[in-house]
Amino acid sequence: MASTLLSPMVDYYNDEEELDSVDEDEDRSFRGRDSEEDTEDASETDLAKHDEDDYVEIKEQMYQDKLASLKRQLQQLQEGTLQEYQKRMKKLDQQYKERLRSADLFLQLETEQVERNYIKEKKAAVKEFDDKKVELKENLISSLCKLPIFF
């Protein structure tokens, strides 16, 4: 019985030796995979770095293009040839002319109204003067009629 118990243990130890050799083989193949993965990771890193460089280059190019565009627009603005500037100036000029026309019409309307009021007040003053003149004549005649006559 003791021998039967020992033999599985021996087999177990023998199996461990086999496992150790299998582990070494796996380590070698795993290390091989590591080096392949390292190469793959390195190439991914290179690609990422290359992509990042491309991104920075594209971003720099976009910045330079935008800067050139803005400088060109500023130059056109200073020369007065920028299309957007001309449109806005034309719109402002139209608004200016419309306001002048409105102000002129308002001035004419106000002038006419003042003239009408002046004419009404002048007629009212003339009528009041004539009424007072008539009233004073009547009062004078009435006063004279009441005076005793001395001859």
Side-chain angles (χ1 to χ4, degrees):
M1 266 188 156
S3 66
T4 57
L5 288 177
L6 288 177
S7 77
M9 285 187 173
V10 172
D11 287 341
Y12 173 75
Y13 288 118
N14 286 338
D15 286 342
E16 264 188 27
E17 288 175 10
E18 288 176 11
L19 285 175
D20 286 342
S21 68
V22 170
D23 285 343
E24 287 175 11
D25 290 340
E26 285 180 1
D27 284 345
R28 276 187 235 124
S29 67
F30 187 71
R31 275 187 243 125
R33 277 186 278 163
D34 277 351
S35 65
E36 288 173 13
E37 287 179 7
D38 288 345
T39 306
E40 199 174 289
D41 288 344
S43 64
E44 286 178 8
T45 305
D46 290 344
L47 286 175
K49 191 172 186 181
H50 182 42
D51 288 346
E52 187 176 320
D53 290 344
D54 287 347
Y55 174 75
V56 169
E57 186 177 319
I58 290 170
K59 196 169 182 180
E60 179 66 24
Q61 183 62 41
M62 288 173 57
Y63 171 78
Q64 291 299 328
D65 291 346
K66 184 69 174 178
L67 182 63
S69 173
L70 289 173
K71 284 182 178 180
R72 188 173 48 255
Q73 285 180 349
L74 178 61
Q75 181 66 30
Q76 288 175 343
L77 180 64
Q78 289 171 343
E79 293 171 356
T81 59
L82 185 64
Q83 199 170 32
E84 186 177 331
Y85 171 76
Q86 289 175 341
K87 286 179 184 177
R88 288 186 181 188
M89 287 303 293
K90 187 176 181 180
K91 185 178 178 180
L92 284 173
D93 190 47
Q94 288 173 345
Q95 289 175 345
Y96 170 74
K97 288 178 181 176
E98 182 62 30
R99 285 184 177 184
L100 276 179
R101 191 176 77 75
S102 296
D104 188 43
L105 289 174
F106 182 73
L107 177 65
Q108 287 177 0
L109 179 66
E110 287 291 314
T111 303
E112 289 172 4
Q113 189 173 0
V114 166
E115 287 175 359
R116 282 193 302 271
N117 286 342
Y118 168 74
I119 291 170
K120 282 183 186 177
E121 286 183 20
K122 186 176 177 182
K123 284 181 181 179
V126 169
K127 185 177 184 211
E128 184 181 351
F129 175 76
D130 288 341
D131 289 346
K132 260 311 193 194
K133 190 166 97 175
V134 168
E135 183 184 332
L136 285 174
K137 278 184 183 179
E138 287 175 359
N139 285 343
L140 186 59
I141 292 173
S142 163
S143 298
L144 287 175
C145 288
K146 292 182 183 177
L147 286 176
I149 299 181
F150 299 103
F151 292 97

